[in-house]
Amino acid sequence: MSVVDDLHRAREAYERREWVAAYRALSDLDDTHLRADDFAALAITAFLLGHRNDCVQALQRAYQAELDEDDTLGAVRAAYWLAMTLWQGGELAIGDGWLARGERLLEGVAEDVVERGYLLERATFGHAAKGEFAEAAAAAPRVTGYGRRFGDPDLTAMGLHMEGRLTIFSGRVADGLRLLDEAMVSVLAGEVSPIFSGVIYCSCVEACQQVSDFGRMGEWTHALTSWCDSQPGLVAFTGQCAVHRGQLMRLHGAYRDAISELEDAVRRYAAAGGSPAVGQAHYERGEALRIRGEYDAAQAAYTEAAAYGHPAQPGRALLWLARGRPDAASAAVHRVVAEVQEPVHRSQMLPAAVEVLVEVGEIEDAAALADQLCGLGSAFGCTALQAAGEYARASVAVARAEAEDALAAARSAADAWARLSAPYEVARCRVLIGRALRLLGDAESAAADLAEARRAFAGLGAAPAEHNVTVLLGDPRAPGGLSPRETEVLRLVAAGKSNPEIAGALVLSEKTVARHLSNIFAKLDVGSRTAAAAFAFEHHLV
């Protein structure tokens, strides 16, 4: 069969989006038979199949071929794609060099052309990556304007999605989500080319997750999954898609499935040549493991996340709290809350910060942060964030023994989480409802809510939360086989109380306290008060 026939078949496979066949066919052809647009097609298929080095090499050949053909604008496009690909692979300096080369080529072009809009899109992304949000926010509408003026659906959708992300980061969440919806319409209609479609899909789903808009996130993740499945052999974007599926599985209480999906995400990122975004997969895996009580594995996952540049907080602080390190947890959340002022990321930190501060007894600081969280929930208009705010308020109210306020807030949070099919969060709300009912003197109703919460935690495999409720119920099946009285003694030991102080608090003799403590040491197989306290914190007995 002739080279002409082989090239025709390769081009047809590319047009049909048969990426594997197109990549193989184009790779097998000698470079002398390929035009600049063939090199560009080879680069796109290589990118989508996870062959980043091949993509870069093909783009470099496309760039040179465009110059050889005196097509300056084609060369600018190749430089743009090189900048994008290299930046995604973490090669920022080399990507900057290609962006500068594209800008230099355009200096010789007098007329206004759409390629200026593409280079502006990369420059806007660069501003955002450096935290220069004012500059990025000013440039993004100009990108959209270029796309509309030249009738370019790719650039229009990219501009709209950038406007949406930046608007959300400014705190105008509803306006930003509307812009993302508009960008997604073009993607869902098939008007946007594959790489830009993948970028917009993943970016928009991530934006929804960051503002806790789990309804939108679920819809778009389903659409992204279908889009990925429709392209056999696709590697690019599948890692991020798996991360978002794992996040939703965790929300719905399917922790084992979530962990498996997130492990798959790590493998998919590796198949695509690696990505700094793999840190997010490790962090999310750590969150699921922590809830299940697999603390060593969770610690390892947070460490992996940090190694890839992804923040390990606030999950690590919650883990430290669970493992009996309240001072470390408190210090971490105080630092993070002081550092993170931008509203979107702050909204993700505040629920855990309130939880930690309530547990360590810093109630007034917790109350101030709970009010901030409720304010962000109202401003964002996202159900999950509003539910988190109500839960935070209920936690503070329980700590203050403000039973009626706690009961109302906890019930409101439980209703909202139930609408989102989030069983773990609903069960946590049931615990607060039970504690509030106890404060009101309604012991029977309190026991019913606490028992319901314990059943839910047991079904989910959330062992630490189950143990905590077991202790609240006074069940003799507490961790370590401790009796209710031994559990009370252990709680006070974990609080740093001496034997005389424990005796005074429980109206016991010091000799009886010493006997209880001896039994506790024997049952837990520990030899010191410090080790016993660590057990108490790790099993949520305090």
Side-chain angles (χ1 to χ4, degrees):
M1 190 169 290
S2 70
V3 171
V4 173
D5 290 334
D6 289 341
L7 187 55
H8 180 70
R9 276 203 320 278
R11 290 169 178 167
E12 282 191 333
Y14 177 79
E15 291 300 324
R16 291 193 300 268
R17 299 192 175 191
E18 296 174 358
W19 308 127
V20 174
Y23 172 76
R24 288 174 177 169
L26 289 167
S27 298
D28 288 344
L29 289 164
D30 189 277
D31 286 1
T32 58
H33 299 115
L34 301 181
R35 303 188 310 241
D37 56 347
D38 295 319
F39 285 121
L42 175 58
I44 289 171
T45 58
F47 181 97
L48 294 171
L49 297 177
H51 306 307
R52 181 175 291 144
N53 290 337
D54 290 351
C55 174
V56 170
Q57 291 176 9
L59 286 170
Q60 290 171 339
R61 294 189 184 102
Y63 174 83
Q64 188 58 52
E66 298 287 13
L67 290 182
D68 292 343
E69 296 171 13
D70 293 323
D71 187 346
T72 300
L73 296 182
V76 171
R77 290 274 189 142
Y80 165 84
W81 282 108
L82 279 160
M84 173 185 275
T85 305
L86 291 162
W87 280 4
Q88 286 188 348
E91 298 179 80
L92 304 182
I94 302 174
D96 286 345
W98 280 104
L99 183 60
R101 181 171 286 189
E103 290 169 344
R104 180 177 54 79
L105 286 173
L106 277 183
E107 290 175 0
V109 179
E111 69 272 19
D112 196 21
V113 291
V114 73
E115 284 73 17
R116 295 189 195 279
Y118 276 94
L119 296 189
L120 180 62
E121 184 274 335
R122 280 296 88 190
T124 305
F125 181 88
H127 284 309
K130 295 172 187 173
E132 299 167 354
F133 294 114
E135 293 86 344
R142 294 175 55 208
V143 175
T144 308
Y146 266 102
R148 285 175 170 157
R149 191 159 63 252
F150 287 94
D152 189 312
D154 284 349
L155 191 58
T156 302
M158 285 293 286
L160 282 169
H161 121 269
M162 294 177 77
E163 284 189 75
R165 292 297 301 266
L166 291 162
T167 301
I168 288 171
F169 277 120
S170 76
R172 292 163 39 229
V173 173
D175 292 339
L177 289 172
R178 279 193 290 272
L179 287 163
L180 295 186
D181 285 342
E182 187 176 352
M184 284 294 296
V185 166
S186 298
V187 172
L188 294 170
E191 300 166 0
V192 181
S193 62
I195 292 179
F196 288 122
S197 290
V199 168
I200 294 168
Y201 263 126
C202 291
S203 181
C204 289
V205 173
E206 181 182 55
C208 293
Q209 183 268 330
Q210 288 177 338
V211 298
S212 303
D213 187 344
F214 295 122
R216 230 187 213 94
M217 180 185 175
E219 289 182 30
W220 289 353
T221 299
H222 177 73
L224 172 58
T225 299
S226 297
W227 181 80
C228 290
D229 291 346
S230 70
Q231 301 172 79
L234 184 70
V235 172
F237 312 116
T238 60
Q240 193 67 18
C241 185
V243 169
H244 296 316
R245 285 197 300 268
Q247 290 168 329
L248 290 167
M249 289 172 183
R250 180 164 66 84
L251 172 72
H252 299 314
Y255 298 118
R256 275 297 172 204
D257 290 342
I259 292 166
S260 177
E261 191 72 24
L262 292 162
E263 289 171 346
D264 184 52
V266 172
R267 290 190 290 270
R268 288 176 181 275
Y269 278 126
S275 168
V278 74
Q280 184 184 30
H282 285 299
Y283 180 83
E284 295 291 343
R285 190 166 55 87
E287 291 288 86
L289 290 164
R290 175 179 57 79
I291 290 171
R292 286 183 55 84
E294 299 177 39
Y295 290 151
D296 289 342
Q299 178 60 51
Y302 292 138
T303 300
E304 287 281 356
Y308 281 94
H310 191 283
Q313 299 293 4
R316 187 178 273 170
L318 291 171
L319 180 61
W320 288 339
L321 184 68
R323 304 197 90 163
R325 300 180 60 195
D327 291 344
S330 173
V333 298
H334 277 298
R335 174 186 60 79
V336 170
V337 167
E339 290 176 352
V340 180
Q341 296 297 318
E342 174 269 311
V344 170
H345 287 109
R346 191 172 179 82
S347 74
Q348 295 184 300
M349 299 295 174
L350 289 178
V354 173
E355 182 174 345
V356 168
L357 296 180
V358 166
E359 288 296 321
V360 301
E362 299 179 42
I363 306 304
E364 295 312 308
D365 286 345
L369 295 183
D371 287 343
Q372 288 183 30
L373 181 57
C374 288
L376 290 174
S378 297
F380 288 12
C382 298
T383 301
L385 198 59
Q386 293 168 344
E390 289 297 296
Y391 179 88
R393 275 189 175 161
S395 299
V396 170
V398 166
R400 288 173 165 171
E402 297 169 351
E404 291 182 354
D405 290 344
L407 186 59
R411 283 175 170 166
S412 175
D415 289 343
W417 284 121
R419 292 197 298 273
L420 293 170
S421 300
Y424 178 75
E425 299 298 339
V426 172
R428 291 197 338 137
C429 294
R430 290 287 172 211
V431 173
L432 289 182
I433 290 169
R435 293 175 67 185
L437 288 169
R438 274 187 178 176
L439 290 172
L440 289 168
D442 188 353
E444 290 299 319
S445 296
D449 274 291
L450 291 171
E452 183 179 341
R454 183 170 68 176
R455 284 193 295 273
F457 289 138
L460 293 168
E466 181 191 357
H467 290 322
N468 192 37
V469 182
T470 296
V471 173
L472 284 171
L473 284 165
D475 193 313
R477 294 175 295 146
L482 301 177
S483 70
R485 179 60 87 183
E486 288 166 348
T487 300
E488 289 179 318
V489 171
L490 180 56
R491 284 176 178 161
L492 292 172
V493 169
K497 302 299 183 183
S498 65
N499 281 15
E501 289 172 324
I502 295 171
L506 299 180
V507 194
L508 300 172
S509 69
E510 289 187 39
K511 184 177 180 180
T512 300
V513 170
R515 188 176 69 251
H516 282 313
L517 198 55
S518 176
N519 291 337
I520 290 168
F521 282 10
K523 287 182 177 181
L524 303 186
D525 192 24
V526 298
S528 68
R529 299 171 80 93
T530 300
F535 179 93
F537 279 107
E538 186 159 332
H539 290 81
H540 285 249
L541 298 181
V542 291

